[in-house]
Amino acid sequence: GAGVSQSPRYKVAKRGQDVALRCDPISGHVSLFWYQQALGQGPEFLTYFQNEAQLDKSGLPSDRFFAERPEGSVSTLKIQRTQQEDSAVYLCASTSAGGGQPQHFGDGTRLSIL
Amino acid sequence: QKEVEQNSGPLSVPEGAIASLNCTYSDRGSQSFFWYRQYSGKSPELIMSIYSNGDKEDGRFTAQLNKASQYVSLLIRDSQPSDSATYLCAVNIGQAGTALIFGKGTTLSVSS
């Protein structure tokens, strides 16, 4: 498909487990963003990549959150020692180079921590 | 703290009416403005982008921007039940790699 692809769509984990969420951006998009969306809220920024470089990680809520994009395409968001407050929808968005371009979102991963 | 404010709603309009959704933002450096539609359980879908003062029309949708008042709005003409969704306003400063700042969204309900 031509859109942003995320997997898994749903993830249930027990508190304390580690999880990994995957994002495959639109082909050719150099910019990749991760957002967290809590129920009833708008998405909130987590981190940004330009190609393989993580240029902004100011939105990551704790050092349990880690993201990578080693080859400048697929990205993985990892959460270690999950907590109940990590339950949310994690959205990935990509955009072509240049400022102000619209960001296109994937379907998201709904994470539930029991 | 950069903020984007929206009325959470719900905004209820009858089918065929005009729905008006409003958004204010705090960062005067904002240059790019977007409206996303989000159906329940789905991801945000871009419906409009606007970058300069004035109106921008696309089909039944019109986005309006007033940078002096730090205000952006979305009008939906001839509202349809399928327009029932949450509408998210998002802004950024327009530089490459800058994150979108989202409002909490306005829930629109169009009754047939």
Side-chain angles (χ1 to χ4, degrees), chain A residues 4-9 22-24 34 90-92 106-109:
Chain A
V4 177
S5 178
Q6 291 188 247
S7 62
R9 288 295 317 279
R22 174 190 168 103
C23 172
D24 196 342
W34 283 97
Y90 291 84
L91 295 164
C92 177
D107 287 337
T109 294

Side-chain angles (χ1 to χ4, degrees), chain B residues 87-103:
Chain B
Y87 289 81
L88 296 164
C89 173
V91 307
N92 76 6
I93 62 173
Q95 293 180 1
T98 53
L100 293 173
I101 308 298
F102 283 87

Side-chain angles (χ1 to χ4, degrees), chain A residues 78-90:
Chain A
K78 298 179 180 179
I79 309 173
Q80 299 175 327
R81 305 181 304 282
T82 52
Q83 302 296 315
Q84 282 194 320
E85 61 262 29
D86 300 335
S87 297
V89 176
Y90 291 84

Side-chain angles (χ1 to χ4, degrees), chain A residues 9 33 35 37 40-43 45 48 91 98-107 110, chain B residues 32 34 36 38 41 43-44 46 49 51 88 92 94-100 102-104:
Chain A
R9 288 295 317 279
F33 299 80
Y35 293 84
Q37 187 173 25
Q41 303 294 315
F45 169 74
Y48 159 65
L91 295 164
Q101 297 298 313
Q103 296 182 18
H104 301 275
F105 286 84
D107 287 337
R110 184 175 299 274
Chain B
S32 305
F34 307 94
Y36 286 83
Q38 187 171 31
S43 65
L46 179 71
S49 58
Y51 303 95
L88 296 164
N92 76 6
Q95 293 180 1
T98 53
L100 293 173
F102 283 87
K104 292 183 178 182

